[in-house]
Amino acid sequence: MVWEVVRARGHEKRVRNAQTEVPRRDHVIAQTPFHILCGHDDIITCLFVSVELDIVISGSKDGTCIFHTLREGRYVRSLRHPSGHPLSKLVASRHGHIVFYAEDDLSLHLYSINGKHLASSESNGRLNCIELSRCGDFLVCAGDQGQIVVRSMHNLDVVKRYVGAGKMITSLAVTPEQCFLAGTKDGHILVYSIENPQLRRAGAARNKTRGSGPL
């Protein structure tokens, strides 16, 4: 379901939080959904939404990935995992490339937004999180093996591996400065800076910032 959220007009309310008062503007959610998007035959496991691309992409245990337009709610196309495995995670870049991942066969599959298959690759271990670099040219993956692996969003080739001290990584974030923050199962946070010149150039060209040195 797609819901429209509107900022309410009127005076600002103040919300008490411990010993401080925090100003908060009300947001109103419409009583009925803006769109109800259908098409899957099983549980939806992953979702991507982009206002810029005007697209909603949903992945399901039925092995399909379905595209709808965000503004009109119009069905566009469907993709299916090559072996029909349930989809676990998906990401899409501003350049119109989509990657989805299936835990059953530990595989990554790259498609264009027009539905053309571009590449497939084994993930070499169970992935708990996949994120995009800020520039959208690189896929950042992490999981049970305790490594952060950076892949190209053009062909899924491995660009760089970051060793995570053998700790299982359960969460991941990419900062605007193109650093990686990784949360581990034992409660630690690992911070990595970009060491690959190719990633540095891509980040500098789009964000007009340079990658930091190794931490």
Side-chain angles (χ1 to χ4, degrees):
M1 295 182 182
V2 180
W3 299 82
E4 186 175 13
V5 181
V6 181
R7 175 169 288 182
R9 296 179 179 178
H11 64 277
E12 209 176 62
K13 291 188 176 180
R14 303 188 74 83
V15 180
R16 291 187 177 274
N17 181 11
Q19 297 179 349
T20 62
E21 290 187 351
V22 181
R24 174 177 63 87
R25 294 187 182 275
D26 284 346
H27 290 74
V28 177
I29 299 178
Q31 292 185 356
T32 57
F34 189 61
H35 296 305
I36 298 178
L37 310 178
C38 305
H40 290 294
D41 296 323
D42 209 329
I43 296 171
I44 293 175
T45 55
C46 44
L47 188 68
F48 173 82
V49 180
S50 172
V51 176
E52 183 180 3
L53 298 175
D54 185 30
I55 200 77
V56 178
I57 308 174
S58 54
S60 170
K61 289 184 69 175
D62 63 12
T64 64
C65 181
I66 298 182
F67 297 65
H68 290 87
T69 60
L70 176 60
R71 294 180 180 87
E72 298 181 358
R74 178 174 52 85
Y75 170 82
V76 179
R77 67 177 53 84
S78 298
L79 301 176
R80 177 174 289 276
H81 185 283
S83 302
H85 293 306
L87 304 186
S88 305
K89 295 174 175 61
L90 68 85
V91 293
S93 75
R94 69 183 73 175
H95 311 303
H97 286 173
I98 296 97
V99 172
F100 57 75
Y101 163 73
E103 283 190 359
D104 282 10
D105 65 350
L106 303 178
S107 62
L108 293 161
H109 301 277
L110 173 65
Y111 286 82
S112 72
I113 200 168
N114 295 321
K116 180 180 179 181
H117 180 257
L118 301 176
S120 293
S121 177
E122 294 183 0
S123 63
N124 298 318
R126 188 165 72 93
L127 300 179
N128 297 323
C129 33
I130 58 175
E131 299 288 342
L132 287 178
S133 63
R134 300 291 291 188
C135 63
D137 289 330
F138 302 98
L139 178 70
V140 188
C141 311
D144 288 358
Q145 291 188 335
Q147 294 183 342
I148 296 178
V149 179
V150 181
R151 295 175 178 268
S152 168
M153 275 295 286
H154 301 288
N155 51 24
L156 294 181
D157 287 349
V158 174
V159 176
K160 182 73 177 180
R161 294 181 188 271
Y162 296 81
V163 178
K167 302 176 184 295
M168 181 187 298
I169 296 174
T170 56
S171 57
L172 182 69
V174 182
T175 72
E177 298 79 18
Q178 301 282 48
C179 290
F180 308 137
L181 307 179
T184 66
K185 186 177 181 180
D186 60 0
H188 289 81
I189 295 179
L190 309 178
V191 183
Y192 298 83
S193 64
I194 291 178
E195 301 173 354
N196 188 282
Q198 185 180 1
L199 272 69
R200 286 180 183 268
R201 286 195 297 269
R206 287 172 173 81
N207 300 321
K208 300 186 183 301
T209 61
R210 296 182 62 186
S212 59
L215 298 180

mmCIF file of all heavy atoms in Angstrom, residues 121-159:
data_model
loop_
_atom_site.group_PDB
_atom_site.id
_atom_site.type_symbol
_atom_site.label_atom_id
_atom_site.label_comp_id
_atom_site.label_asym_id
_atom_site.label_seq_id
_atom_site.Cartn_x
_atom_site.Cartn_y
_atom_site.Cartn_z
ATOM 1 N N SER A 121 25.899 -13.391 -10.096
ATOM 2 C CA SER A 121 27.125 -13.736 -9.376
ATOM 3 C C SER A 121 26.768 -14.410 -8.062
ATOM 4 O O SER A 121 25.753 -14.081 -7.438
ATOM 5 C CB SER A 121 27.958 -12.478 -9.107
ATOM 6 O OG SER A 121 29.115 -12.791 -8.349
ATOM 7 N N GLU A 122 27.598 -15.363 -7.636
ATOM 8 C CA GLU A 122 27.429 -15.974 -6.320
ATOM 9 C C GLU A 122 27.884 -14.989 -5.251
ATOM 10 O O GLU A 122 28.853 -14.256 -5.442
ATOM 11 C CB GLU A 122 28.238 -17.266 -6.228
ATOM 12 C CG GLU A 122 27.747 -18.369 -7.151
ATOM 13 C CD GLU A 122 28.538 -19.659 -6.980
ATOM 14 O OE1 GLU A 122 29.466 -19.667 -6.137
ATOM 15 O OE2 GLU A 122 28.228 -20.637 -7.664
ATOM 16 N N SER A 123 27.185 -14.993 -4.135
ATOM 17 C CA SER A 123 27.537 -14.068 -3.065
ATOM 18 C C SER A 123 28.638 -14.610 -2.159
ATOM 19 O O SER A 123 29.189 -13.863 -1.348
ATOM 20 C CB SER A 123 26.303 -13.756 -2.223
ATOM 21 O OG SER A 123 25.817 -14.935 -1.592
ATOM 22 N N ASN A 124 28.950 -15.919 -2.295
ATOM 23 C CA ASN A 124 30.000 -16.549 -1.482
ATOM 24 C C ASN A 124 29.723 -16.409 0.014
ATOM 25 O O ASN A 124 30.604 -16.055 0.800
ATOM 26 C CB ASN A 124 31.380 -15.959 -1.823
ATOM 27 C CG ASN A 124 31.771 -16.208 -3.270
ATOM 28 O OD1 ASN A 124 31.558 -17.300 -3.793
ATOM 29 N ND2 ASN A 124 32.322 -15.197 -3.918
ATOM 30 N N GLY A 125 28.505 -16.684 0.395
ATOM 31 C CA GLY A 125 28.118 -16.612 1.803
ATOM 32 C C GLY A 125 26.789 -15.901 1.972
ATOM 33 O O GLY A 125 26.342 -15.173 1.085
ATOM 34 N N ARG A 126 26.144 -16.108 3.112
ATOM 35 C CA ARG A 126 24.849 -15.487 3.355
ATOM 36 C C ARG A 126 25.017 -13.999 3.634
ATOM 37 O O ARG A 126 25.811 -13.596 4.473
ATOM 38 C CB ARG A 126 24.137 -16.165 4.529
ATOM 39 C CG ARG A 126 22.693 -15.679 4.716
ATOM 40 C CD ARG A 126 21.925 -16.619 5.615
ATOM 41 N NE ARG A 126 22.368 -16.505 6.993
ATOM 42 C CZ ARG A 126 21.788 -15.693 7.890
ATOM 43 N NH1 ARG A 126 20.760 -14.940 7.532
ATOM 44 N NH2 ARG A 126 22.224 -15.647 9.126
ATOM 45 N N LEU A 127 24.233 -13.193 2.940
ATOM 46 C CA LEU A 127 24.282 -11.746 3.103
ATOM 47 C C LEU A 127 23.167 -11.294 4.043
ATOM 48 O O LEU A 127 22.012 -11.695 3.883
ATOM 49 C CB LEU A 127 24.134 -11.040 1.754
ATOM 50 C CG LEU A 127 25.189 -11.362 0.698
ATOM 51 C CD1 LEU A 127 24.889 -10.587 -0.593
ATOM 52 C CD2 LEU A 127 26.591 -11.034 1.200
ATOM 53 N N ASN A 128 23.513 -10.453 5.007
ATOM 54 C CA ASN A 128 22.524 -9.891 5.908
ATOM 55 C C ASN A 128 22.108 -8.487 5.506
ATOM 56 O O ASN A 128 21.065 -8.003 5.947
ATOM 57 C CB ASN A 128 23.072 -9.864 7.339
ATOM 58 C CG ASN A 128 23.345 -11.257 7.874
ATOM 59 O OD1 ASN A 128 22.598 -12.191 7.595
ATOM 60 N ND2 ASN A 128 24.426 -11.413 8.619
ATOM 61 N N CYS A 129 22.910 -7.838 4.687
ATOM 62 C CA CYS A 129 22.586 -6.476 4.260
ATOM 63 C C CYS A 129 23.275 -6.150 2.944
ATOM 64 O O CYS A 129 24.410 -6.570 2.698
ATOM 65 C CB CYS A 129 22.973 -5.447 5.331
ATOM 66 S SG CYS A 129 24.429 -5.861 6.293
ATOM 67 N N ILE A 130 22.564 -5.425 2.098
ATOM 68 C CA ILE A 130 23.138 -4.890 0.866
ATOM 69 C C ILE A 130 22.696 -3.434 0.751
ATOM 70 O O ILE A 130 21.548 -3.100 0.984
ATOM 71 C CB ILE A 130 22.719 -5.702 -0.386
ATOM 72 C CG1 ILE A 130 21.198 -5.738 -0.540
ATOM 73 C CG2 ILE A 130 23.276 -7.120 -0.340
ATOM 74 C CD1 ILE A 130 20.739 -6.420 -1.826
ATOM 75 N N GLU A 131 23.652 -2.568 0.407
ATOM 76 C CA GLU A 131 23.398 -1.144 0.285
ATOM 77 C C GLU A 131 24.097 -0.624 -0.966
ATOM 78 O O GLU A 131 25.003 -1.263 -1.495
ATOM 79 C CB GLU A 131 23.924 -0.378 1.511
ATOM 80 C CG GLU A 131 23.283 -0.776 2.832
ATOM 81 C CD GLU A 131 21.854 -0.283 2.964
ATOM 82 O OE1 GLU A 131 21.480 0.643 2.213
ATOM 83 O OE2 GLU A 131 21.123 -0.806 3.826
ATOM 84 N N LEU A 132 23.677 0.557 -1.407
ATOM 85 C CA LEU A 132 24.329 1.210 -2.529
ATOM 86 C C LEU A 132 25.265 2.299 -2.032
ATOM 87 O O LEU A 132 25.000 2.941 -1.002
ATOM 88 C CB LEU A 132 23.298 1.833 -3.471
ATOM 89 C CG LEU A 132 22.472 0.889 -4.334
ATOM 90 C CD1 LEU A 132 21.482 1.695 -5.163
ATOM 91 C CD2 LEU A 132 23.366 0.068 -5.255
ATOM 92 N N SER A 133 26.358 2.522 -2.772
ATOM 93 C CA SER A 133 27.183 3.691 -2.507
ATOM 94 C C SER A 133 26.377 4.939 -2.849
ATOM 95 O O SER A 133 25.379 4.873 -3.569
ATOM 96 C CB SER A 133 28.457 3.643 -3.355
ATOM 97 O OG SER A 133 28.126 3.703 -4.739
ATOM 98 N N ARG A 134 26.789 6.079 -2.332
ATOM 99 C CA ARG A 134 26.038 7.308 -2.553
ATOM 100 C C ARG A 134 25.977 7.677 -4.024
ATOM 101 O O ARG A 134 25.006 8.255 -4.494
ATOM 102 C CB ARG A 134 26.675 8.449 -1.765
ATOM 103 C CG ARG A 134 26.715 8.221 -0.276
ATOM 104 C CD ARG A 134 25.359 8.259 0.365
ATOM 105 N NE ARG A 134 24.779 9.589 0.345
ATOM 106 C CZ ARG A 134 23.671 9.940 0.977
ATOM 107 N NH1 ARG A 134 23.022 9.032 1.690
ATOM 108 N NH2 ARG A 134 23.194 11.160 0.906
ATOM 109 N N CYS A 135 27.016 7.324 -4.783
ATOM 110 C CA CYS A 135 27.028 7.636 -6.206
ATOM 111 C C CYS A 135 26.174 6.674 -7.016
ATOM 112 O O CYS A 135 25.828 6.955 -8.165
ATOM 113 C CB CYS A 135 28.463 7.631 -6.724
ATOM 114 S SG CYS A 135 29.285 6.016 -6.592
ATOM 115 N N GLY A 136 25.834 5.514 -6.445
ATOM 116 C CA GLY A 136 24.997 4.544 -7.138
ATOM 117 C C GLY A 136 25.739 3.609 -8.073
ATOM 118 O O GLY A 136 25.125 2.766 -8.722
ATOM 119 N N ASP A 137 27.058 3.721 -8.124
ATOM 120 C CA ASP A 137 27.844 2.888 -9.035
ATOM 121 C C ASP A 137 28.326 1.593 -8.395
ATOM 122 O O ASP A 137 28.841 0.716 -9.095
ATOM 123 C CB ASP A 137 29.068 3.664 -9.539
ATOM 124 C CG ASP A 137 28.685 4.773 -10.505
ATOM 125 O OD1 ASP A 137 27.662 4.613 -11.207
ATOM 126 O OD2 ASP A 137 29.393 5.785 -10.569
ATOM 127 N N PHE A 138 28.175 1.468 -7.065
ATOM 128 C CA PHE A 138 28.737 0.321 -6.369
ATOM 129 C C PHE A 138 27.718 -0.276 -5.396
ATOM 130 O O PHE A 138 26.946 0.442 -4.758
ATOM 131 C CB PHE A 138 30.010 0.714 -5.606
ATOM 132 C CG PHE A 138 31.063 1.298 -6.497
ATOM 133 C CD1 PHE A 138 31.214 2.668 -6.593
ATOM 134 C CD2 PHE A 138 31.897 0.485 -7.242
ATOM 135 C CE1 PHE A 138 32.172 3.223 -7.419
ATOM 136 C CE2 PHE A 138 32.854 1.027 -8.081
ATOM 137 C CZ PHE A 138 33.001 2.402 -8.169
ATOM 138 N N LEU A 139 27.741 -1.610 -5.313
ATOM 139 C CA LEU A 139 26.909 -2.361 -4.387
ATOM 140 C C LEU A 139 27.774 -2.789 -3.209
ATOM 141 O O LEU A 139 28.852 -3.356 -3.407
ATOM 142 C CB LEU A 139 26.331 -3.592 -5.089
ATOM 143 C CG LEU A 139 25.463 -4.528 -4.244
ATOM 144 C CD1 LEU A 139 24.132 -3.851 -3.916
ATOM 145 C CD2 LEU A 139 25.224 -5.842 -4.993
ATOM 146 N N VAL A 140 27.324 -2.507 -1.990
ATOM 147 C CA VAL A 140 28.082 -2.830 -0.786
ATOM 148 C C VAL A 140 27.348 -3.938 -0.043
ATOM 149 O O VAL A 140 26.187 -3.781 0.331
ATOM 150 C CB VAL A 140 28.237 -1.584 0.111
ATOM 151 C CG1 VAL A 140 29.192 -1.893 1.263
ATOM 152 C CG2 VAL A 140 28.752 -0.388 -0.693
ATOM 153 N N CYS A 141 28.013 -5.068 0.158
ATOM 154 C CA CYS A 141 27.387 -6.257 0.746
ATOM 155 C C CYS A 141 28.134 -6.677 2.007
ATOM 156 O O CYS A 141 29.361 -6.521 2.098
ATOM 157 C CB CYS A 141 27.403 -7.430 -0.234
ATOM 158 S SG CYS A 141 26.811 -7.060 -1.891
ATOM 159 N N ALA A 142 27.396 -7.240 2.964
ATOM 160 C CA ALA A 142 28.020 -7.761 4.182
ATOM 161 C C ALA A 142 27.139 -8.861 4.754
ATOM 162 O O ALA A 142 25.927 -8.879 4.540
ATOM 163 C CB ALA A 142 28.232 -6.650 5.209
ATOM 164 N N GLY A 143 27.775 -9.781 5.500
ATOM 165 C CA GLY A 143 26.981 -10.884 6.042
ATOM 166 C C GLY A 143 27.723 -11.740 7.046
ATOM 167 O O GLY A 143 28.553 -11.265 7.819
ATOM 168 N N ASP A 144 27.439 -13.043 6.997
ATOM 169 C CA ASP A 144 27.928 -13.973 8.011
ATOM 170 C C ASP A 144 29.440 -14.126 8.009
ATOM 171 O O ASP A 144 30.033 -14.475 9.031
ATOM 172 C CB ASP A 144 27.284 -15.347 7.810
ATOM 173 C CG ASP A 144 25.816 -15.362 8.198
ATOM 174 O OD1 ASP A 144 25.328 -14.310 8.651
ATOM 175 O OD2 ASP A 144 25.160 -16.409 8.032
ATOM 176 N N GLN A 145 30.089 -13.912 6.872
ATOM 177 C CA GLN A 145 31.534 -14.118 6.793
ATOM 178 C C GLN A 145 32.332 -12.972 7.405
ATOM 179 O O GLN A 145 33.557 -13.051 7.508
ATOM 180 C CB GLN A 145 31.958 -14.328 5.337
ATOM 181 C CG GLN A 145 31.465 -15.646 4.750
ATOM 182 C CD GLN A 145 32.056 -15.924 3.389
ATOM 183 O OE1 GLN A 145 32.458 -15.008 2.674
ATOM 184 N NE2 GLN A 145 32.140 -17.196 3.026
ATOM 185 N N GLY A 146 31.649 -11.895 7.791
ATOM 186 C CA GLY A 146 32.343 -10.805 8.454
ATOM 187 C C GLY A 146 33.145 -9.921 7.529
ATOM 188 O O GLY A 146 34.032 -9.193 7.978
ATOM 189 N N GLN A 147 32.848 -9.946 6.250
ATOM 190 C CA GLN A 147 33.518 -9.093 5.279
ATOM 191 C C GLN A 147 32.541 -8.096 4.679
ATOM 192 O O GLN A 147 31.346 -8.356 4.588
ATOM 193 C CB GLN A 147 34.124 -9.917 4.142
ATOM 194 C CG GLN A 147 35.253 -10.838 4.530
ATOM 195 C CD GLN A 147 35.826 -11.559 3.311
ATOM 196 O OE1 GLN A 147 35.192 -11.622 2.258
ATOM 197 N NE2 GLN A 147 37.011 -12.107 3.456
ATOM 198 N N ILE A 148 33.064 -6.953 4.278
ATOM 199 C CA ILE A 148 32.308 -6.028 3.443
ATOM 200 C C ILE A 148 32.877 -6.135 2.036
ATOM 201 O O ILE A 148 34.073 -5.941 1.822
ATOM 202 C CB ILE A 148 32.417 -4.578 3.959
ATOM 203 C CG1 ILE A 148 31.771 -4.455 5.341
ATOM 204 C CG2 ILE A 148 31.748 -3.615 2.989
ATOM 205 C CD1 ILE A 148 31.884 -3.078 5.947
ATOM 206 N N VAL A 149 32.007 -6.474 1.098
ATOM 207 C CA VAL A 149 32.433 -6.663 -0.289
ATOM 208 C C VAL A 149 31.779 -5.590 -1.151
ATOM 209 O O VAL A 149 30.555 -5.412 -1.116
ATOM 210 C CB VAL A 149 32.050 -8.067 -0.810
ATOM 211 C CG1 VAL A 149 32.491 -8.231 -2.257
ATOM 212 C CG2 VAL A 149 32.675 -9.143 0.068
ATOM 213 N N VAL A 150 32.590 -4.867 -1.900
ATOM 214 C CA VAL A 150 32.095 -3.826 -2.796
ATOM 215 C C VAL A 150 32.114 -4.369 -4.223
ATOM 216 O O VAL A 150 33.143 -4.860 -4.693
ATOM 217 C CB VAL A 150 32.963 -2.550 -2.700
ATOM 218 C CG1 VAL A 150 32.417 -1.460 -3.614
ATOM 219 C CG2 VAL A 150 33.002 -2.045 -1.259
ATOM 220 N N ARG A 151 30.962 -4.287 -4.901
ATOM 221 C CA ARG A 151 30.839 -4.775 -6.268
ATOM 222 C C ARG A 151 30.399 -3.651 -7.197
ATOM 223 O O ARG A 151 29.759 -2.680 -6.768
ATOM 224 C CB ARG A 151 29.801 -5.911 -6.342
ATOM 225 C CG ARG A 151 30.177 -7.169 -5.579
ATOM 226 C CD ARG A 151 29.047 -8.186 -5.593
ATOM 227 N NE ARG A 151 29.378 -9.420 -4.908
ATOM 228 C CZ ARG A 151 29.906 -10.491 -5.500
ATOM 229 N NH1 ARG A 151 30.131 -10.463 -6.812
ATOM 230 N NH2 ARG A 151 30.177 -11.572 -4.802
ATOM 231 N N SER A 152 30.722 -3.813 -8.466
ATOM 232 C CA SER A 152 30.282 -2.862 -9.475
ATOM 233 C C SER A 152 28.799 -3.050 -9.767
ATOM 234 O O SER A 152 28.323 -4.181 -9.895
ATOM 235 C CB SER A 152 31.079 -3.048 -10.767
ATOM 236 O OG SER A 152 30.493 -2.332 -11.832
ATOM 237 N N MET A 153 28.047 -1.958 -9.858
ATOM 238 C CA MET A 153 26.634 -2.033 -10.222
ATOM 239 C C MET A 153 26.442 -2.147 -11.736
ATOM 240 O O MET A 153 25.318 -2.104 -12.223
ATOM 241 C CB MET A 153 25.886 -0.811 -9.707
ATOM 242 C CG MET A 153 25.421 -0.922 -8.268
ATOM 243 S SD MET A 153 24.183 -2.215 -8.005
ATOM 244 C CE MET A 153 22.718 -1.448 -8.736
ATOM 245 N N HIS A 154 27.530 -2.316 -12.470
ATOM 246 C CA HIS A 154 27.440 -2.494 -13.920
ATOM 247 C C HIS A 154 27.569 -3.958 -14.328
ATOM 248 O O HIS A 154 27.022 -4.379 -15.343
ATOM 249 C CB HIS A 154 28.511 -1.660 -14.626
ATOM 250 C CG HIS A 154 28.408 -0.195 -14.341
ATOM 251 N ND1 HIS A 154 27.401 0.595 -14.855
ATOM 252 C CD2 HIS A 154 29.168 0.630 -13.570
ATOM 253 C CE1 HIS A 154 27.549 1.842 -14.427
ATOM 254 N NE2 HIS A 154 28.611 1.884 -13.649
ATOM 255 N N ASN A 155 28.323 -4.766 -13.504
ATOM 256 C CA ASN A 155 28.520 -6.170 -13.878
ATOM 257 C C ASN A 155 28.673 -7.099 -12.669
ATOM 258 O O ASN A 155 28.943 -8.290 -12.848
ATOM 259 C CB ASN A 155 29.756 -6.302 -14.779
ATOM 260 C CG ASN A 155 30.987 -5.634 -14.177
ATOM 261 O OD1 ASN A 155 31.091 -5.458 -12.967
ATOM 262 N ND2 ASN A 155 31.919 -5.255 -15.044
ATOM 263 N N LEU A 156 28.547 -6.576 -11.447
ATOM 264 C CA LEU A 156 28.656 -7.331 -10.188
ATOM 265 C C LEU A 156 30.063 -7.833 -9.903
ATOM 266 O O LEU A 156 30.259 -8.646 -8.984
ATOM 267 C CB LEU A 156 27.673 -8.512 -10.156
ATOM 268 C CG LEU A 156 26.192 -8.153 -10.129
ATOM 269 C CD1 LEU A 156 25.344 -9.424 -10.084
ATOM 270 C CD2 LEU A 156 25.849 -7.261 -8.943
ATOM 271 N N ASP A 157 31.073 -7.369 -10.653
ATOM 272 C CA ASP A 157 32.451 -7.743 -10.356
ATOM 273 C C ASP A 157 32.870 -7.178 -8.998
ATOM 274 O O ASP A 157 32.462 -6.081 -8.610
ATOM 275 C CB ASP A 157 33.400 -7.211 -11.426
ATOM 276 C CG ASP A 157 33.287 -7.983 -12.731
ATOM 277 O OD1 ASP A 157 32.627 -9.045 -12.739
ATOM 278 O OD2 ASP A 157 33.855 -7.519 -13.740
ATOM 279 N N VAL A 158 33.682 -7.954 -8.264
ATOM 280 C CA VAL A 158 34.182 -7.498 -6.971
ATOM 281 C C VAL A 158 35.242 -6.426 -7.189
ATOM 282 O O VAL A 158 36.223 -6.635 -7.906
ATOM 283 C CB VAL A 158 34.759 -8.667 -6.153
ATOM 284 C CG1 VAL A 158 35.403 -8.159 -4.863
ATOM 285 C CG2 VAL A 158 33.667 -9.682 -5.830
ATOM 286 N N VAL A 159 35.046 -5.272 -6.561
ATOM 287 C CA VAL A 159 35.985 -4.154 -6.666
ATOM 288 C C VAL A 159 36.929 -4.130 -5.476
ATOM 289 O O VAL A 159 38.123 -3.861 -5.613
ATOM 290 C CB VAL A 159 35.221 -2.816 -6.756
ATOM 291 C CG1 VAL A 159 36.187 -1.629 -6.774
ATOM 292 C CG2 VAL A 159 34.322 -2.783 -7.984
#
